[in-house]
Amino acid sequence: MKCLPEDPYRLLPQELELIFAVRRGVCLYLSFANWLFDKTGQRDDADGSVDSVPTERLRAKQRFNSTYSLWVMANYLVAQCDLLLKGKDDTHLASVKPNFKFDPGKGFTRDLMLTLSYYADTLNSENSEGLRTVKQSDDILSVSRDFWKTVADKASALFPQTDPNLQIIVQTATFKYNEFVIQGFKVEYQAQAKATVWWSPVKEADIVSNDESVLQLKRLAHRIALYDVDRKMNPMCEFGTVYESVLLDGAPGTGKTMLMKFFITLLSSLSEQVGLQCVVRSLEASQVKSEWFGRSGRLVKEMTEAVTDPQSLGVLIADDVDLMVSNRDEPGTGGADRDILKGLMDFFSGVGTAFRGNYTSIAATNKPTATDDALRQRFVYRTIVRGPQSCEDFVDMTFLQLRRPAKFDLLDVGRGKYAPMSRKKSARVSAELKGTHKGSTWEDIGHYIEEIRHDNPFFTARSVKNALDVVIAKASDFDIPDNWFSDPSTFRTKPWDERIKMIRSLYTVKIDANMIMAALEEQRESEKRYELESYLKPRN
């Protein structure tokens, strides 16, 4: 049955997910029904006929058989719907209170068919105004969850009325299907074991140069750590200073991977201070590329769902993203590449996900033009990673590489005017947005964007949005006090409105037209560079 009639030619992703979940639920039902059919001796009582009801004793067994099997199936489908709705704002989704007669015991085939007919009626139901209950795709999941929760509750209410000798059969048994675990009359959905990403911890002092990238990643980690798990929202979202994605663009050997490790190390440390789990996922071709149709997309989705879990802090890492996802127009691009690209495009653009400020994603590339253009443009914050540039940078880099022999007095280098690791690092970033447009007005900004657009037709609204996101991030030119994380009473336990005022008091920079136009110019130059590199790229 089509749940949404707007598109009669294909099933929506939510419908496909639900169909597979229902199919697995039916398999669970039949598996338990057949198991109980043998364990309760019904095969002997019914002479091999599953649906015959010759005696009251057999009717009681069939009633328990179907009740327990439907209870298992219903709980499984409730858990599946919860997983599919995870991270989504369900306050505006449809809700139902199904009203149907739950009276199993007519044979497990008939009981299943009757329950599924009630389910179909619920999906096709109308409200008091005569309008369909299911109005949007996610309504299918919320209505399904309500229905199967009702089935589970009705089945639970019947257990006390069943024969205690039958209850003993399942009371001491444990069943497991993937993460779905049943112990007697208790059920739980165990979260998948968190994949551990092993990395060597990197501290700020271990990084040479790339000062602005270090500062921005440091501040992003601190802002994510202010996330309120009870409210499921980050107060920094009110200011727009947490963002979903960062692209590190630089030549090989400039320190992109080091910056990623630094961010993971810092966010992990902060998550321990605030008492939340830090979920880290590393997107690698060997983990997600599959020859099976649709499997790559599913694996990417599992990773992104783990990172966006509203009960934790998270980061998705994609090193060498140009090797992971090539331009869709490139020769040799296969189905797995398109599945991965589609999954990442949905993730970065926030489709179906309410950004709560508890996660981010960091990608790195040596060749940005080798990555799909639309995917590259979806990164909110793009920063150029240049690596060591000055004499002092190279002194520091050499010193850090020789730390181990230095520990054992195996290093003898004369001292000059510059002592290793004494270079003062930048503590501010707003200076990067100095321009020549002081005193400009709203109209000046509009004309400037129009001028850029005329010069480059590919400078779209997304390019403007990315530039403005950079302005917002750089205007937040302050560090979060350390005690806001270490001492809950200083910030995290205060009322929401008070926390907002405390954050506002840290601001010292106001966004002006000059900063906006300078950021637009940076974005313009960035787009020009990508366009030039793409033009000069060798073609097969």
Side-chain angles (χ1 to χ4, degrees):
M1 185 188 75
K2 278 293 299 182
C3 295
L4 292 178
E6 300 92 78
D7 186 353
Y9 302 108
R10 64 177 180 177
L11 291 168
L12 295 170
Q14 290 88 339
E15 292 175 291
L16 286 172
E17 295 277 9
L18 187 58
I19 285 171
F20 280 103
V22 171
R23 190 170 80 170
R24 289 191 293 267
V26 168
C27 290
L28 279 173
Y29 172 86
L30 295 175
S31 178
F32 274 87
N34 276 291
W35 178 73
L36 284 170
F37 186 73
D38 289 330
K39 294 295 287 187
T40 58
Q42 291 181 58
R43 194 175 300 279
D44 296 332
D45 293 342
D47 296 324
S49 177
V50 172
D51 291 330
S52 63
V53 191
T55 65
E56 188 63 34
R57 182 167 65 94
L58 180 56
R59 184 180 295 111
K61 291 180 178 180
Q62 289 180 330
R63 184 176 176 82
F64 177 78
N65 183 331
S66 292
T67 300
Y68 188 79
S69 301
L70 283 170
W71 175 79
V72 170
M73 175 183 179
N75 277 288
Y76 174 77
L77 288 173
V78 169
Q80 289 297 300
C81 289
D82 279 336
L83 285 174
L84 293 171
L85 288 170
K86 180 184 289 187
K88 298 181 180 180
D89 184 3
D90 57 2
T91 56
H92 301 294
L93 297 181
S95 179
V96 296
K97 294 182 179 180
N99 184 18
F100 57 92
K101 185 178 181 181
F102 186 74
D103 186 25
K106 302 175 179 60
F108 68 75
T109 303
R110 296 194 191 107
D111 289 335
L112 174 63
M113 293 174 65
L114 189 60
T115 304
L116 289 174
S117 72
Y118 292 146
Y119 176 41
D121 290 342
T122 301
L123 287 176
N124 203 33
S125 63
E126 298 178 348
N127 60 21
S128 58
E129 299 175 354
L131 301 175
R132 281 176 55 86
T133 304
V134 174
K135 300 185 183 66
Q136 55 177 316
S137 55
D138 287 336
D139 286 342
I140 301 168
L141 301 174
S142 62
V143 169
S144 297
R145 180 175 58 185
D146 290 345
F147 174 82
W148 292 109
K149 181 68 167 62
T150 302
V151 173
D153 291 342
K154 287 179 178 289
S156 295
L158 290 181
F159 285 146
Q161 305 173 26
T162 58
D163 187 343
N165 293 321
L166 297 176
Q167 295 179 31
I168 292 174
I169 295 174
V170 298
Q171 277 179 339
T172 57
T174 299
F175 310 91
K176 183 177 181 183
Y177 172 67
N178 293 333
E179 294 77 37
F180 185 66
V181 180
I182 302 158
Q183 294 178 315
F185 294 101
K186 294 181 180 180
V187 63
E188 61 178 293
Y189 197 93
Q190 296 178 346
Q192 290 184 340
K194 302 295 184 182
T196 303
V197 179
W198 296 99
W199 71 92
S200 303
V202 173
K203 297 181 179 180
E204 185 176 358
D206 299 327
I207 301 177
V208 175
S209 70
N210 296 324
D211 290 0
E212 179 171 348
S213 298
V214 171
L215 190 57
Q216 285 295 78
L217 291 177
K218 175 182 176 181
R219 288 178 171 174
L220 179 58
H222 279 85
R223 282 148 177 72
I224 289 175
L226 294 180
Y227 173 71
D228 186 331
V229 70
D230 295 324
R231 198 181 182 99
K232 290 184 172 54
M233 182 56 68
N234 193 318
M236 298 303 298
C237 285
E238 301 278 1
F239 299 87
T241 52
V242 281
Y243 37 93
E244 304 97 315
S245 55
V246 181
L247 179 63
L248 304 177
D249 175 5
T254 52
K256 299 184 297 298
T257 303
M258 183 79 78
L259 289 169
M260 289 178 167
K261 292 180 178 180
F262 163 67
F263 184 87
I264 297 172
T265 303
L266 180 56
L267 188 63
S268 299
S269 174
L270 291 169
S271 66
E272 290 181 6
Q273 292 188 53
V274 299
L276 292 176
Q277 183 182 16
C278 180
V279 177
V280 180
R281 292 291 185 270
S282 179
L283 191 65
E284 298 176 11
S286 60
Q287 295 179 346
V288 296
K289 284 200 174 182
S290 171
E291 69 275 14
W292 298 103
F293 177 76
R295 179 167 172 77
S296 293
R298 178 67 183 177
L299 292 171
V300 171
K301 185 177 180 182
E302 288 176 358
M303 280 194 174
T304 57
E305 284 179 345
V307 168
T308 58
D309 184 349
Q311 299 299 319
S312 61
L313 307 181
V315 56
L316 178 69
I317 296 296
D319 204 356
D320 292 322
V321 69
D322 51 288
L323 300 179
M324 168 67 64
V325 184
S326 59
N327 195 306
R328 73 188 82 184
D329 298 325
E330 291 289 332
T333 302
D337 298 279
R338 293 187 178 91
D339 283 347
I340 296 170
L341 178 61
K342 176 63 168 59
L344 291 179
M345 294 270 278
D346 288 346
F347 174 63
F348 288 132
S349 62
V351 174
T353 303
F355 182 60
R356 306 174 188 274
N358 66 313
Y359 70 90
T360 193
S361 51
I362 304 178
T365 178
N366 301 330
K367 299 177 180 179
T369 54
T371 306
D372 187 84
D373 293 340
L375 176 63
R376 187 185 68 243
Q377 290 178 354
R378 273 172 164 76
F379 286 96
V380 175
Y381 196 98
R382 285 180 281 173
T383 182
I384 305 298
V385 181
R386 295 184 172 86
Q389 299 288 312
S390 66
C391 169
E392 290 79 7
D393 289 340
F394 290 114
V395 168
D396 291 346
M397 184 185 74
T398 305
F399 176 80
L400 289 173
Q401 289 295 318
L402 296 174
R403 279 181 299 180
R404 292 183 179 178
K407 286 172 57 178
F408 299 96
D409 194 24
L410 296 174
L411 192 62
D412 184 14
V413 177
R415 297 186 177 276
K417 294 181 179 179
Y418 177 73
M421 306 304 295
S422 63
R423 181 176 62 88
K424 186 177 181 181
K425 295 186 177 183
S426 173
R428 302 184 68 83
V429 295
S430 55
E432 298 290 328
L433 286 178
K434 286 183 178 179
T436 59
H437 303 278
K438 293 187 180 299
S440 297
T441 64
W442 287 110
E443 288 80 3
D444 294 329
I445 294 172
H447 287 310
Y448 191 61
I449 297 174
E450 184 181 23
E451 175 188 327
I452 296 174
R453 170 75 174 172
H454 183 269
D455 180 56
N456 180 8
F458 296 102
F459 195 89
T460 63
R462 187 181 297 279
S463 302
V464 176
K465 176 187 177 298
N466 288 343
L468 296 178
D469 284 336
V470 170
V471 170
I472 294 171
K474 291 189 174 183
S476 173
D477 195 13
F478 56 81
D479 293 320
I480 303 294
D482 291 337
N483 63 349
W484 284 18
F485 307 106
S486 59
D487 184 358
S489 64
T490 59
F491 181 81
R492 287 184 287 120
T493 59
K494 292 184 180 296
W496 181 264
D497 290 341
E498 186 174 345
R499 280 181 275 172
I500 297 297
K501 291 179 181 178
M502 292 174 66
I503 294 172
R504 174 62 184 87
S505 67
L506 297 177
Y507 276 83
T508 59
V509 175
K510 287 188 178 182
I511 298 172
D512 58 22
N514 181 61
M515 292 176 62
I516 295 172
M517 296 169 81
L520 289 166
E521 180 61 29
E522 282 188 1
Q523 187 73 19
R524 177 189 203 178
E525 293 302 318
S526 176
E527 295 292 342
K528 276 186 177 181
R529 183 173 66 86
Y530 291 142
E531 183 181 358
L532 179 61
E533 289 180 4
S534 179
Y535 177 77
L536 296 176
K537 184 170 62 174
R539 304 290 178 179
N540 291 329

